[in-house]
Amino acid sequence: MYSSSVADAPLVREPLHAPVAHLVRGGIVEGTHYGSVVALDTHGRVTFQLGDIEAAFYPRSAIKPVQAVAMVRAGLPLDGELLSLAAASHSGEERHLAGTRRILELAGLTEDHLRNTPDMPFDPTVRDVWVRESRPPSRLAQNCSGKHAAMLYTCKLNGWSLDDYLDPAHPLQQAIAEIVEDLTGQRIATVTVDGCGAPLFAVSLNGLARAAARITTAAPGTPEARVADAMRDHAEMASGSGRDVAALMRAVPGLLAKDGFEGVHVAALPDGRAIAVKIADGANRARIPVAAAALARAGVDPARLKEFAGEPLLGGGTPVGEIRPTRALDPLTEAT
């Protein structure tokens, strides 16, 4: 289905984004979100594209399933909800903190070994509780703590150093980079630092979609299948209560989905159909309706996607508009 060869790195250039969503108020387009969208068929061929799907970009947390696969390939023995947490951008709920502590305990480590940036919980309601209780920012509460705990556990199992596990030259990060290139099918364009402090690898939007499809089509029992099963079976552990990405996985049977900061979204079905979205201005409000429209373009029943049309635009507390994907994303419109 997918070639085992690795293509050249995508070009680092200004992306040629296109309009992907309109902000409509009272029947008038008030604003426009630009971005790029790709949809792949069961053979990895591009069936729909909008904007620039080949320029180098940072997938942010949407790359976490790939990082988790790399860790499992390197011997990480987690499954179920703890493996889902290893691929998570979690909300900072108590179950996420408890799960991260459990991973650290399995490794014989503590929170002090984490090198991610201390932060408040991602979920606004949980964060408000922390503020009322005067709880300070915490490495455990930061949304990438499960991934960092899993990284440390992987290092411990392999006898790799712990203090510098975030260094791009560290054996762990080299192993992750190798799997990023393997699953995306392309060389990494450049490496920078993500918000949590971990190395962040630039690939293309097309490459990100390919990686998700490689994960969902892998044979049962493989590291890829273990990560996909864990995230689908424990969607709230990979995200949080009330998160749209978890709801999307529940609504579409077999779907693996992952969001990322700056308007990134990737999703793939067990048959290999996949989509990836990048909202140019990073607006989260446009991410989910555009991703839903892309999934409809990929052949998902639109009836399963109705709840992901986007939040209503309010005027005086009353709905007066919406975020609406552009006509180019309508599955009844011919691809351009």
Side-chain angles (χ1 to χ4, degrees), residues 35-315:
S36 296
V37 180
V38 63
L40 307 181
D41 67 10
T42 57
H43 299 287
R45 296 174 301 210
V46 175
T47 58
F48 175 79
Q49 64 181 35
L50 185 63
D52 194 340
I53 67 170
E54 297 296 353
F57 91 117
Y58 293 123
R60 302 300 300 270
S61 287
I63 202 70
K64 283 179 178 174
V66 178
Q67 292 171 311
V69 168
M71 288 187 277
V72 174
R73 287 194 187 184
L76 184 69
L78 301 178
D79 280 300
E81 63 179 10
L82 292 184
L83 182 53
S84 183
L85 183 60
S89 298
H90 65 70
S91 292
E93 300 165 36
E94 285 303 320
R95 60 177 162 180
H96 299 127
L97 275 61
T100 301
R101 291 191 192 98
R102 179 58 181 154
I103 296 172
L104 290 168
E105 288 170 0
L106 290 170
L109 303 173
T110 69
E111 181 180 354
D112 291 338
H113 289 92
L114 294 171
R115 293 291 181 266
N116 58 318
T117 307
D119 202 356
M120 300 292 280
F122 178 77
D123 182 89
T125 301
V126 179
R127 185 168 60 246
D128 287 347
V129 172
W130 277 52
V131 170
R132 287 197 299 271
E133 296 177 349
S134 299
R135 297 174 69 175
S138 158
R139 296 187 194 276
L140 280 178
Q142 196 269 338
N143 76 90
C144 302
S145 65
K147 177 184 77 175
H148 282 255
M151 285 181 169
L152 284 166
Y153 192 6
T154 304
C155 290
K156 190 73 177 293
L157 291 167
N158 284 277
W160 297 331
S161 58
L162 302 180
D163 289 345
D164 60 342
Y165 75 93
L166 296 182
D167 188 326
H170 190 279
L172 170 70
Q173 301 303 336
Q174 290 293 298
I176 290 174
E178 180 180 345
I179 303 308
V180 169
E181 294 188 336
D182 176 28
L183 295 182
T184 62
Q186 61 189 175
R187 302 292 179 195
I188 293 166
T190 188
V191 182
T192 189
V193 182
D194 209 341
C196 66
L200 178 60
F201 307 105
V203 295
S204 71
L205 198 65
N206 193 6
L208 179 64
R210 282 197 301 268
R214 292 279 300 278
I215 291 172
T216 59
T217 57
T222 60
E224 292 88 339
R226 284 171 56 189
V227 170
D229 289 343
M231 293 181 68
R232 290 183 295 219
D233 293 344
H234 303 277
E236 281 77 13
M237 190 60 91
S239 53
S241 303
R243 294 273 291 279
D244 55 41
V245 69
L248 186 61
M249 283 194 275
R250 290 195 301 268
V252 181
L255 186 73
L256 175 69
K258 185 69 186 75
D259 54 349
F261 280 153
E262 297 303 322
V264 183
H265 195 106
V266 66
L269 291 153
D271 63 6
R273 286 176 292 159
I275 64 98
V277 169
K278 164 64 181 173
I279 305 301
D281 62 2
N284 196 53
R285 68 182 184 183
R287 173 186 54 81
I288 195 66
V290 172
L295 284 168
R297 269 284 189 176
V300 173
D301 182 358
R304 294 188 176 275
L305 302 168
K306 285 183 178 179
E307 67 177 288
F308 306 102
E311 298 179 3
L313 178 67
L314 302 180

